[in-house]
């Protein structure tokens, strides 16, 4: 397997400053070495362009619905990132996007869907299905799935020309913090939501297997989106929107191993991202390190290696 690391150092989509240093922290934690150890040959293309938020106009809004911060900046990042992701897939490698806040998923999904129909498995405490008109915060990291599914609030923004992310192939895993309107929108959506209760009831193996099966059903591939706040804050303290009661270190690895197994059997993993690592809030770069380990598991790392 070949991976191409693409950094997306943004914090436009999040309240807590510092998540723009995520790519740097994840690289410093040894991402490339972890992947090489896993038998994945990897190249790092560096970062897409993302000027510091301080140099941009914080009041930039979506034209129609005035409740989404830094949309123009996020649009520019999405554009460049989508091109990198698309080119990576065209070249036969797996894009591994490192964030940055979760708004970078708009670009990842767009790139992964440029030439294909895709599904996604969203490993996250949050559903990220808010739209500008429903978001309580105005932070676009809570909106990437609404954006990728072509929500009307984003009319006029260039990503609104919908990528081929099939609503039926959207699967959430590990939800435990969903806003009221957002919960109704998740229930009304064609996607499948597995909450922490579902993981407690059925176990991480069964839920992840079902998630990969649903996300990959009838499409060309799956984008795996890993928000580090999916894990319990005891394991992953370096995130901007921690929610207690998340998955454990071992459950997270197990889930990523199941992603890798599914990919070996079905060639299903089209692209992946690890987002929301905030080194300012982290403890000794632990969360960044966790991101490197989980990416390696998803891309095929095994304790005893492979023959
Ligand atoms: N639902 C909340 C919001 O819309 C939190 C979103 C958190 N998203 C994330 N990618 N960490 O603001
Ligand atoms: Mn989250
Ligand atoms: Mn998220
Ligand atoms: Mn199977």
């Amino acid at each position: 397997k070949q991976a191409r690391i693409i950094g997306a150092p943004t914090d436009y989509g999040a309240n807590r400053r510092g998540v723009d240093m995520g790519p740097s922290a994840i690289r410093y934690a040894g991402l490339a070495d972890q992947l090489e150890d896993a038998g994945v040959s990897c190249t790092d293309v560096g970062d897409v362009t993302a000027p510091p938020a301080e140099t941009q106009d914080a009041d930039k809004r979506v034209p129609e619905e005035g409740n989404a911060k830094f949309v123009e900046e996020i649009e520019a990042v999405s554009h460049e990132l989508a091109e990198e992701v698309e080119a990576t897939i065209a070249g036969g490698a797996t894009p591994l996007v490192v964030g940055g806040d979760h708004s970078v998923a708009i670009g990842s999904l767009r790139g992964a869907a440029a030439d294909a129909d895709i599904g996604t498995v969203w490993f996250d405490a949050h559903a990220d299905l808010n739209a500008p008109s429903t978001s309580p915060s105005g932070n676009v990291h809570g909106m990437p799935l609404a954006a990728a599914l072509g929500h009307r609030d984003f009319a006029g923004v260039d990503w609104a020309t919908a990528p081929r992310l099939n609503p039926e192939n959207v699967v959430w895993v590990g939800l435990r913090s969903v806003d009221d309107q957002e919960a109704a929108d998740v229930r009304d959506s064609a996607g499948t939501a597995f909450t922490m209760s579902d993981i407690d009831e059925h176990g991480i193996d069964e839920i992840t297997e079902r998630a990969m099966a649903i996300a990959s059903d009838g499409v060309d591939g799956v984008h795996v989106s890993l928000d580090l706040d999916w894990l319990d804050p005891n394991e992953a303290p370096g995130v901007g929107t921690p929610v207690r009661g998340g998955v454990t270190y071992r459950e997270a690895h197990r889930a990523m191993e199941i992603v890798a197994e599914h990919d070996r059997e079905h060639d299903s993993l089209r692209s992946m991202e690890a987002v929301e690592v905030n080194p300012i809030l982290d403890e000794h770069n632990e969360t960044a390190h966790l991101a490197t380990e989980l990416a390696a598991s998803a891309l095929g790392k095994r304790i005893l290696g492979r023959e």
Side-chain angles (χ1 to χ4, degrees):
K1 217 173 177 68
Q2 256 183 287
R4 224 157 149 257
I5 300 168
I6 308 166
T10 71
D11 67 357
Y12 303 132
N15 250 344
R16 303 297 289 272
R17 305 300 314 280
V19 70
D20 57 322
M21 290 180 277
S24 201
I26 292 170
R27 287 190 180 100
Y28 181 73
L31 179 60
D33 287 349
Q34 281 278 355
L35 295 178
E36 297 284 348
D37 284 354
V40 178
S41 72
C42 80
T43 49
D44 189 329
V45 301
D47 292 340
V48 299
T49 315
E54 285 83 353
T55 66
Q56 309 297 303
D57 176 0
D59 291 325
K60 284 183 177 164
R61 303 289 184 196
V62 182
E64 311 271 306
E65 287 288 344
N67 183 38
K69 296 167 192 160
F70 293 115
V71 168
E72 287 174 34
E73 287 78 1
I74 292 166
E75 191 173 17
V77 170
S78 304
H79 204 88
E80 195 182 331
L81 181 56
E83 278 175 3
E84 286 290 351
V85 168
E86 183 181 353
T88 300
I89 294 169
T94 306
L96 175 55
V97 175
V98 292
D101 71 80
H102 218 157
S103 70
V104 305
I106 299 170
S108 306
L109 286 165
R110 219 180 141 79
D115 204 20
D117 293 313
I118 64 162
T120 190
V121 180
W122 206 260
F123 294 99
D124 200 330
H126 308 95
D128 295 346
L129 189 63
N130 279 313
S133 56
T134 59
S135 168
S137 65
N139 294 326
V140 179
H141 75 162
M143 311 183 195
L145 279 173
L149 291 168
H151 195 284
R152 60 184 148 64
D153 281 6
F154 289 106
V157 182
D158 81 353
W159 65 62
T161 49
R164 287 171 290 181
L165 169 60
N166 277 7
E168 299 79 14
N169 297 92
V170 173
V171 186
W172 291 269
V173 176
L175 294 178
R176 59 191 184 279
S177 173
V178 185
D179 301 308
D180 292 347
Q181 181 57 48
E182 190 182 30
D185 292 340
V186 167
R187 289 195 305 270
D188 290 348
S189 84
T192 302
F194 295 116
T195 65
M196 282 310 299
S197 312
D198 294 313
I199 295 175
D200 290 341
E201 187 178 347
H202 299 283
I204 194 69
D205 281 54
E206 184 187 325
I207 294 298
T208 310
E209 273 159 19
R210 283 166 67 186
M212 286 301 290
I214 296 165
S216 63
D217 186 33
V219 293
D220 301 302
V222 175
H223 173 69
V224 167
S225 194
L226 173 64
D227 182 328
L228 271 291
D229 70 32
W230 180 51
L231 285 99
D232 194 274
N234 290 319
E235 325 262 8
V239 298
T241 48
V243 189
R244 66 181 178 164
V247 300
T248 65
Y249 178 85
R250 286 165 64 172
E251 285 172 323
H253 268 291
R254 188 68 197 130
M256 295 302 114
E257 287 170 358
I258 288 165
V259 166
E261 286 309 324
H262 195 275
D263 180 46
R264 278 166 72 82
E265 275 177 46
H266 306 278
D267 195 22
S268 48
L269 179 61
R270 189 170 177 85
S271 50
M272 179 172 179
E273 72 201 340
V275 300
E276 295 283 340
V277 171
N278 186 328
I280 288 181
L281 305 171
D282 207 359
E283 287 165 25
H284 307 291
N285 220 29
E286 256 172 52
T287 308
H289 188 232
L290 194 48
T292 70
E293 294 178 312
L294 293 173
S297 281
L299 291 169
K301 187 175 186 182
R302 284 297 172 276
I303 292 169
L304 296 179
R306 292 191 191 281
E307 58 287 339

